Amino acid sequence: MSAAAGGLAPVAGEPDPGGADCVGCGRCCHHGPRTVHFLEADEARMGPRLLEMYTDLEVKPPGWRFMKNEGSRCAGLDVSVEGRFPCKVYEVRPEDCRIVEPGSEACLEARRLGKLGGSVVFRR
Ligand code: SF4
Ligand code: SF4
């Protein structure tokens, strides 16, 4: 699969609204660092073990916590099987990830760009 700058190749077509195409897509999980942030409820849901493994807590006030990045993608993405992009923390993923629903404007933009675009705004 050829990679676009900072992301993957575009994907054509509308995805299944129920999420059946997500594991084969993974475009919205490609983004820069400091993208997926945590609020208290997100931290509580994920729990200390996974927070330690997959997130960074910034020292600088106000001390935001973010998912770690691995290059141009979220560290929570399992890329061990080529062409498959399951989330390693799917059941406890933070609210930022839940906002991007299959078929939403942000999803379609991510598929077009090969990575998460600017149409999604996370409230902090
Ligand atoms: S871009 Fe859309 S289809 Fe692709 S993984 Fe994200 S929500 Fe699913
Ligand atoms: S936590 Fe999971 S769903 Fe959210 S961006 Fe990372 S890999 Fe994608």
Side-chain angles (χ1 to χ4, degrees):
M1 188 179 294
S2 68
L8 298 176
V11 199
E14 295 258 346
D16 177 83
D21 298 312
C22 288
V23 170
C25 170
R27 267 48 177 188
C28 62
C29 302
H30 285 73
H31 47 63
R34 304 182 80 255
T35 298
V36 176
H37 83 297
F38 284 69
L39 297 178
E40 276 182 27
D42 297 314
E43 293 185 349
R45 190 191 300 118
M46 190 167 277
R49 191 178 67 86
L50 294 178
L51 286 176
E52 173 68 27
M53 287 171 71
Y54 294 113
T55 71
D56 280 326
L57 185 61
E58 293 190 335
V59 177
K60 207 174 75 178
W64 290 114
R65 185 184 292 280
F66 291 95
M67 281 298 289
K68 289 181 183 175
N69 249 59
E70 279 177 8
S72 63
R73 62 175 181 258
C74 175
L77 207 53
D78 177 356
V79 292
S80 59
V81 178
E82 196 180 345
R84 305 291 287 171
F85 304 96
C87 172
K88 290 186 272 193
V89 295
Y90 184 78
E91 295 300 329
V92 292
R93 70 199 186 286
E95 195 59 33
D96 278 4
C97 306
R98 297 166 194 258
I99 288 168
V100 185
E101 292 181 349
S104 65
E105 184 186 345
C107 160
L108 298 179
E109 182 183 58
R111 287 168 68 86
R112 203 166 57 239
L113 299 176
K115 60 182 178 180
L116 191 68
S119 74
V120 58
V121 178
F122 300 126
R123 279 168 296 156
R124 287 180 192 149

